Amino acid sequence: ATKQILSKWAEKGVPSLVDSLGRRWQPDAYVNMVVRTNSMQIAKKTQERRAVDYGKDLIITSQHADQSPEHAPYANKIYSLSGNSDKYPPFSIAQSHGFMNRPNCRHTYSFYVEGLTTKRKTIDKEQTDKSYKVSQEQRKLERKIRAQKRQIEALKAGGFDTVAENAKLRGYQSDMRSFIDASGRTRQRDREQI
């Protein structure tokens, strides 16, 4: 009975955090998400301050192959920070749709100077959607590995044998290696740590 309780606590968290959307987070995953998100927000605020200091109003947003489908319409676009441009929409429109404001968003922007800045070719939506789906498969495998590691640690703390749980962990890690080989993605071992 004790082993079952420890396993359940390792799986559900003691305590786990619940966000405003009702999603349960393990403390380590939540802290990592907050650090990534805050780092990007600080970089964005710094870039905004530089734009004001240099008198720059136009920006071009980044794009990446595995961007969220919700962000794709706002990626690789030219915006006006002040909203005073007759030619380009205000950046606040993209932000009002969550662009660069959501947790884990990796989008950035850089200054845009007409006639000097070359706009990148927009990544095909089908490719972006496929890459995003593959990235989410990788995140799922990372969560399985972390959950299994938490379970092993909880059982060890309770003085229980973890041979079967270690074998299951090795299976998940093997699944990750196979996934990485098949997808060509980079393994992010820091996302597998507890």
Side-chain angles (χ1 to χ4, degrees), residues 1-164:
T2 305
K3 186 174 182 180
Q4 287 176 323
I5 290 170
L6 287 173
S7 290
K8 191 156 240 29
W9 282 354
E11 181 184 327
K12 299 286 185 190
V14 188
S16 73
L17 305 167
V18 180
D19 67 16
S20 61
L21 297 176
R23 295 175 298 201
R24 296 177 69 87
W25 291 79
Q26 292 293 330
D28 58 321
Y30 187 79
V31 166
N32 286 332
M33 180 274 300
V34 167
V35 168
R36 278 191 302 272
T37 301
N38 284 340
S39 296
M40 290 304 294
Q41 293 296 324
I42 290 168
K44 186 182 94 171
K45 291 291 182 196
T46 301
Q47 193 73 333
E48 284 176 17
R49 181 164 286 150
R50 287 179 59 205
V52 169
D53 290 348
Y54 297 142
K56 301 294 182 191
D57 185 49
L58 300 181
I59 59 167
I60 185 166
T61 55
S62 66
Q63 64 177 346
H64 46 89
D66 59 354
Q67 64 196 1
S68 161
E70 293 88 23
H71 289 187
Y74 310 102
N76 198 33
K77 300 280 191 266
I78 301 165
Y79 294 98
S80 164
L81 285 173
S82 70
N84 294 329
S85 172
D86 294 331
K87 189 172 179 181
Y88 300 107
F91 185 51
S92 59
I93 289 175
Q95 291 178 304
S96 70
H97 292 277
F99 187 75
M100 291 181 66
N101 287 330
R102 290 193 178 143
N104 288 324
C105 180
R106 295 180 290 138
H107 281 287
T108 60
Y109 63 77
S110 53
F111 302 140
Y112 180 81
V113 179
E114 279 192 282
L116 287 176
T117 308
T118 304
K119 189 174 177 192
R120 302 166 221 57
K121 181 181 176 201
T122 301
I123 301 171
D124 177 63
K125 180 179 175 4
E126 191 175 305
Q127 178 191 351
T128 300
D129 291 349
K130 181 181 175 188
S131 294
Y132 180 73
K133 183 178 177 186
V134 172
S135 76
Q136 295 310 294
E137 289 175 33
Q138 184 173 359
R139 300 290 91 81
K140 183 177 179 180
L141 287 169
E142 292 162 352
R143 285 190 297 273
K144 280 183 172 182
I145 290 170
R146 284 195 310 270
Q148 191 61 26
K149 286 180 176 181
R150 279 192 294 273
Q151 184 162 13
I152 289 167
E153 290 303 313
L155 293 176
K156 278 183 184 176
F160 293 99
D161 179 56
T162 59
V163 172

